[in-house]
Amino acid sequence: MALRVLIVDDEPLARTRLRTLLGDCHAPSALVCGEASNATEALALLQRERFDLALLDIHMPGSDGLVLANTLRALPAPPAVVFVTAYAQHALQAFDVEAIDYLTKPVRLQRLQHALQKVERLRGLSGQPAEADADTFILIQDRGRTERVPLAQVLYLKAELKYVTVRTLARSYILDGALNELETRHRQHFVRVHRNALVARKALRALEKHHDPEEGEGWAVRLHGLDEPLAVSRRQLAAVREVLAG
């Protein structure tokens, strides 16, 4: 089943390039069902059409892509969001609006195809039965080698630009994925402690006052087996306390 895609970018050449790349994508394939040069045009299309995915530029006239993505979350059946932009510094903000992925220009076909696969998995469009290991392992691709990391061994997941650090007691792995997708898939295993971090519920040891050189006084969690504290945002403080309380 082809993904129904909306492209939102104020540059005609950028839209043309994405349309061409999408035409070369398979497993899943993609069908461009709409194009918009700004947020207003995009919202008008979304009121008339159903889309599985919105590919959003960030810097556009009027409301930018981040504002548009936040608006889409209020729709009854919002499309998945993947940002396509030349500005990598906005990656962390993308996680706040639950983007599935973040692609930097010029977009490579392989990265775009990978983003489509994430959307397909998240929206259940593949028509294939889920793997038995999907809820017990995280698949790591490393230098042509695929490794299954047991979910029970993962202490935390931390987003850093386009990648996610998967930390176990023994070592760290790099995962080419989106933190929000991992949170959705493994919600029972992890609790969000910060916009860029998920922590294994069973690994939580303590919540304590913490001084950060950049953010000042705040809170952090300690995990079993690790010396390093992880910052806790004020927004997530109540959720972390609830998990610690059992």
Side-chain angles (χ1 to χ4, degrees):
M1 182 183 297
L3 293 171
R4 294 174 57 84
V5 180
L6 169 64
I7 300 174
V8 186
D9 196 307
D10 63 312
E11 298 180 3
L13 288 178
R15 296 198 302 272
T16 298
R17 174 168 172 75
L18 277 177
R19 190 167 59 248
T20 300
L21 287 173
L22 288 165
D24 292 331
C25 287
H26 305 282
S29 58
L31 179 64
V32 178
C33 297
E35 294 185 25
S37 61
N38 55 55
T40 301
E41 292 179 4
L43 288 171
L45 284 169
L46 285 159
Q47 290 174 357
R48 302 194 303 267
E49 300 278 347
R50 178 189 64 80
F51 296 94
D52 298 308
L53 168 64
L55 293 174
L56 306 184
D57 188 19
I58 288 183
H59 288 274
M60 297 183 293
S63 297
D64 65 18
L66 291 166
V67 173
L68 174 58
N70 196 49
T71 303
L72 298 186
R73 295 164 70 185
L75 295 177
V81 169
V82 170
F83 285 108
V84 184
T85 178
Y87 301 92
Q89 67 266 29
H90 293 293
L92 288 180
Q93 291 172 278
F95 299 139
D96 283 342
V97 292
E98 300 180 355
I100 300 300
D101 209 340
Y102 189 98
L103 309 179
T104 53
K105 298 176 180 178
V107 177
R108 292 181 291 114
L109 177 60
Q110 183 179 4
R111 279 290 290 125
L112 179 59
Q113 182 75 78
H114 186 55
L116 296 184
Q117 290 168 357
K118 292 181 184 180
V119 175
E120 181 187 52
R121 289 196 303 269
L122 186 66
R123 301 181 74 85
L125 297 172
S126 65
Q128 301 296 323
E131 294 183 12
D133 291 338
D135 294 328
T136 56
F137 291 90
I138 292 180
L139 291 179
I140 305 291
Q141 304 287 341
D142 184 19
R143 299 170 188 170
R145 178 170 174 261
T146 301
E147 185 169 349
R148 295 190 307 174
V149 178
L151 202 63
Q153 295 181 10
V154 177
L155 299 176
Y156 69 76
L157 304 166
K158 190 173 183 181
E160 296 168 307
L161 294 179
K162 294 186 295 181
Y163 301 98
V164 173
T165 296
V166 179
R167 185 72 163 90
T168 68
L169 193 60
R171 58 170 292 191
S172 293
Y173 302 85
I174 299 298
L175 176 66
D176 185 4
L179 197 66
N180 287 318
E181 181 185 354
L182 291 165
E183 181 181 25
T184 300
R185 188 182 304 171
H186 305 297
R187 191 175 299 277
Q188 297 303 313
H189 189 83
F190 295 104
V191 59
R192 185 176 286 271
V193 299
H194 198 275
R195 66 180 181 181
N196 68 345
L198 303 175
V199 166
R201 294 171 181 267
K202 293 182 178 180
L204 282 173
R205 188 180 84 211
L207 176 67
E208 60 186 33
K209 284 284 189 178
H210 177 69
H211 178 79
D212 185 275
E214 295 183 359
E215 299 185 9
E217 294 296 329
W219 294 87
V221 287
R222 294 281 182 180
L223 306 182
H224 290 288
L226 291 184
D227 292 329
E228 59 182 293
L230 283 179
V232 176
S233 67
R234 294 183 179 180
R235 182 177 180 181
Q236 305 300 333
L237 195 56
V240 172
R241 282 178 169 151
E242 184 177 347
V243 173
L244 279 169

